[in-house]
Amino acid sequence: MWSNFFIQQDEDGRIGVAGAVQGGGLAGIKGGRGQRRTQKMSDSQEGKIKLAFFVSIIGVTLTVLGMGTEFWVELAQPKNFSGNQTCQMAHYGLWKGCVRTLWVSDIDPERTSCGPAELPGETNCTYFKFFTSGENAVIFKKTTNKKLNLAAAILALLSLTMMVMGSICIAMSLSKGVPFFLKPASFCFILSGVLVLLSILIFHQSVLSLLSSDHSIPLHHELSWSVACVGSAGAILIFGGFLFIIISLPFSPWQKCLPHNNSTT
């Protein structure tokens, strides 16, 4: 009587089957290899992924909110520049600009410039023609630099694309139960945060270029709440991307603090 299986253990600790009868051993090998290749994530790791994804979603929400508004920068004339009861100011973003006419009596007496934009008044908003006819916009006799404005808008759109790709990777990782897609997701979210911050920097350069194009009308400028919103979003996206990198590591730093149960045989 001879043995059906010759089982030997190699240096890596894997079990190999040397012989099999009626194909049963071959099926066992395929099943063992399949189990070895699919590394399912634990419940604690899945919870950490969901928490990091929630942080990233906050960054995505703030980015979409900031990019869709026209309150990136406010340009205000001196409130007594026109010499009448009204003054003008402008505010714009990546896609649209607005000129507002405010009552001087509504402005804080200690404020020297027209504004803020939240005060009631007449508003005239127009979309920029950078993306259609390629024309520059003129605001208070000052001309925009369409190349810088286009660059800022394109970087913003690219960042949104990377956010969508990162979200798809996380959704696939959670649905399949494997951590393979965490590193691509972390790359997408970190890159999207960097692109958002670069978009803000280029937009600020476009504002400075606008102010230097003409000096006939003095203007006071300040970055508005949309820039603060988008800047915070960029930092949150980068932080969320690094969280995914830490979670994808074989041994996360916080696992060293967990107690280990050593069993003696």
Side-chain angles (χ1 to χ4, degrees):
M1 198 66 188
W2 49 276
S3 177
N4 291 335
F5 302 94
F6 296 95
I7 302 176
Q8 58 185 4
Q9 186 171 1
D10 58 11
E11 296 178 355
D12 295 334
R14 294 175 294 181
I15 304 270
V17 180
V21 177
Q22 296 180 355
L26 182 59
I29 295 175
K30 294 180 179 179
R33 289 180 178 176
Q35 294 176 357
R36 179 176 172 80
R37 290 178 181 175
T38 57
Q39 299 177 356
K40 298 294 183 180
M41 66 177 66
S42 61
D43 293 337
S44 61
Q45 190 178 22
E46 183 177 352
K48 294 170 186 176
I49 293 174
K50 291 180 179 179
L51 179 60
F53 189 45
F54 175 75
V55 173
S56 301
I57 287 298
I58 294 176
V60 174
T61 304
L62 291 176
T63 303
V64 174
L65 176 63
M67 289 184 181
T69 59
E70 60 274 4
F71 290 92
W72 282 54
V73 65
E74 295 182 4
L75 306 175
Q77 297 179 358
K79 64 180 181 180
N80 297 321
F81 181 77
S82 300
N84 51 28
Q85 297 179 351
T86 61
C87 63
Q88 286 188 328
M89 65 163 301
H91 59 87
Y92 65 92
L94 297 176
W95 328 104
K96 184 172 65 172
C98 299
V99 177
R100 293 178 56 83
T101 303
L102 308 179
W103 294 98
V104 177
S105 58
D106 294 335
I107 302 173
D108 187 357
E110 298 181 356
R111 184 184 176 99
T112 59
S113 60
C114 189
E118 291 78 14
L119 293 177
E122 297 181 1
T123 305
N124 183 18
C125 297
T126 56
Y127 284 94
F128 293 133
K129 298 181 180 180
F130 308 136
F131 315 99
T132 54
S133 61
E135 298 179 12
N136 281 311
V138 179
I139 304 175
F140 299 142
K141 298 183 180 180
K142 301 180 186 294
T143 307
T144 59
N145 189 332
K146 66 178 181 180
K147 293 182 179 179
L148 293 176
N149 290 89
L150 282 173
I154 291 173
L155 288 177
L157 293 177
L158 287 177
S159 68
L160 289 177
T161 304
M162 299 306 297
M163 293 176 205
V164 173
M165 293 177 62
S167 300
I168 293 175
C169 290
I170 296 300
M172 293 179 64
S173 179
L174 292 174
S175 63
K176 300 295 183 180
V178 292
F180 172 76
F181 297 100
L182 291 181
K183 290 182 178 179
S186 64
F187 172 78
C188 291
F189 282 117
I190 292 175
L191 182 58
S192 65
V194 173
L195 291 175
V196 166
L197 297 179
L198 287 177
S199 177
I200 295 175
L201 291 176
I202 295 179
F203 179 83
H204 185 243
Q205 292 298 319
S206 69
V207 174
L208 297 179
S209 176
L210 171 73
L211 295 174
S212 62
S213 63
D214 184 83
H215 300 281
S216 60
I217 300 178
L219 291 179
H220 171 75
H221 81 283
E222 60 180 3
L223 298 178
S224 190
W225 61 269
S226 295
V227 171
C229 184
V230 175
S232 301
I236 293 174
L237 289 169
I238 295 175
F239 176 71
F242 278 108
L243 284 181
F244 288 124
I245 291 180
I246 295 174
I247 296 173
S248 65
L249 295 176
F251 298 97
S252 300
W254 54 69
Q255 291 181 354
K256 297 181 181 179
C257 302
L258 298 177
H260 297 278
N261 295 326
N262 296 326
S263 59
T264 59
T265 56

